[in-house]
Amino acid sequence: MFNQIEQVGFVGLGAMGSGIARRLMEAGHPVTGWNRTRSKAEDLLAAGMGWADTPREVAERCDVVFTMLTNTAAIEGAARGEDGLLAGLREGTVWADLSTISPEASVALSEEVAATGASYLDTPVSGSPATLAAGQMSVMVGGDRAAFDHVEQLLHAIGPKVTYIGPHGHAILTKVAINLALVVSVTAFAEAVTLVEKAGVSRAAVVDAALKSVIASPVIGYRAPLLVDDDTVYADVELQQKDLVLAQELGRRYGAMVPTCSAASEMLSAARSSDLSDRDFLVSVADVYRRAAGVEVR
């Protein structure tokens, strides 16, 4: 039996997490949040979000808990210890992890959560803060179908496209596959733009033409303009390469070839040394291509 959803918890209030928490609040759900750095939550607190001093307190007070953290280590850090989520979970609670972490670690967490009487769902999202703001975020779900049915309305408050994938870990696996394709396509775009820029074509003209062409996917749509006006960071090199490393690990584990993934990961490794490594990964990778080609960097 699941708890009636009266209070929603949120752990991890960075750029994406805070945006999702705000959407939940705007949909009328009372939210209690925790973040390692409280100052990042001030706008949400001013808008009426409750505050908990530890992840454990979030779990103790809430019927559904969302987490959105950067990687596996961050999720496990929030889960364990006397102040962790696992210590505060109770029977009937649902923990839905929106992060992109190791599929193996996600499945292991689901087993630990089940031992508390609570339920765990891997619910990674696909999109960016821009996608979220436009109401176009998609959510994938892995885990117990009854738990998914219980929280499906909440997930639709995050984004309109919610897909139940299958058992624990399957949503994370699907997200890794999607991000593999995303990074490869964005890296290839940086390569293509640099090629013709080297031949003398205006960068702005190439971007404009691409946005009117058949390659204008949603991710190219919101990222390509960064090559002309670098004003936003959707995901930096370190954050985006994490997903490629997960894909490479899966390739080794299952004996599947991921050559384009490996090539893209090498470009992201090179981009770590770029002077623009703190910018969006498209900008960082394009900087590496330009310097290698002798294109004037501006």
Side-chain angles (χ1 to χ4, degrees):
M1 179 69 67
F2 298 106
N3 298 327
Q4 182 178 351
I5 302 175
E6 296 179 352
Q7 188 69 220
V8 177
F10 211 103
V11 171
L13 298 168
M16 186 71 87
S18 61
I20 293 174
R22 186 175 294 279
R23 284 189 70 88
L24 290 167
M25 292 168 63
E26 289 173 348
H29 302 289
V31 174
T32 296
W34 176 87
N35 194 63
R36 185 174 58 182
T37 306
R38 178 175 171 138
S39 60
K40 292 183 177 181
E42 290 301 332
D43 286 348
L44 290 170
L45 293 170
M49 185 187 75
W51 180 257
D53 290 326
T54 64
R56 176 176 180 165
E57 187 179 341
V58 174
E60 288 174 339
R61 291 168 54 181
C62 298
D63 307 298
V64 176
V65 177
F66 288 102
T67 46
M68 172 56 93
L69 296 168
T70 54
N71 52 35
T72 303
I75 284 292
E76 293 190 336
R80 306 191 190 287
E82 63 179 20
D83 289 330
L85 286 165
L86 288 168
L89 290 173
R90 52 200 165 88
E91 187 172 357
T93 301
V94 176
W95 172 5
D97 181 28
L98 301 161
S99 318
T100 303
I101 66 171
S102 158
E104 185 177 25
S106 183
V107 171
L109 266 178
S110 73
E111 295 170 354
E112 291 185 70
V113 171
T116 71
S119 298
Y120 176 91
L121 296 171
D122 45 296
T123 54
V125 296
S126 181
S128 70
T131 311
L132 179 68
Q136 298 175 345
M137 183 70 74
S138 65
V139 186
M140 295 151 276
V141 185
D144 178 65
R145 182 64 193 240
F148 163 66
D149 291 341
H150 183 64
V151 302
E152 184 177 5
Q153 182 182 1
L154 283 175
L155 298 176
H156 277 286
I158 295 171
K161 296 169 282 189
V162 178
T163 306
Y164 178 75
I165 304 294
H168 290 297
H170 282 206
I172 287 287
L173 288 166
T174 302
K175 172 63 185 295
V176 171
I178 289 171
N179 273 14
L180 186 166
L182 181 156
V183 179
V184 167
S185 66
V186 171
T187 300
F189 181 71
E191 181 177 305
V193 171
T194 303
L195 173 65
V196 294
E197 190 177 5
K198 175 71 173 181
V201 180
S202 160
R203 185 190 313 166
V206 179
V207 169
D208 183 45
L211 292 174
K212 298 170 183 174
S213 76
V214 295
I215 69 165
S217 64
V219 68
I220 295 298
Y222 66 76
R223 269 198 160 97
L226 297 180
L227 294 182
V228 179
D229 187 8
D230 172 22
D231 62 355
T232 305
V233 180
Y234 296 112
D236 63 18
V237 171
E238 183 175 357
L239 182 62
Q240 206 67 78
Q241 192 173 28
K242 171 203 69 175
D243 301 333
L244 295 186
V245 171
L246 289 174
Q248 289 174 300
E249 290 173 350
L250 288 173
R252 285 191 291 270
R253 184 178 308 150
Y254 294 109
M257 294 177 61
V258 286
T260 59
C261 173
S262 298
S265 188
E266 285 299 310
M267 283 306 302
L268 266 63
S269 291
R272 287 175 178 270
S273 63
S274 166
D275 292 339
L276 303 178
S277 60
D278 62 337
R279 306 308 301 156
D280 190 82
F281 87 95
L282 168 61
V283 174
S284 304
V285 170
D287 181 57
V288 173
Y289 274 119
R290 288 187 194 124
R291 291 180 186 278
V295 174
E296 180 183 355
V297 177
R298 57 188 185 278

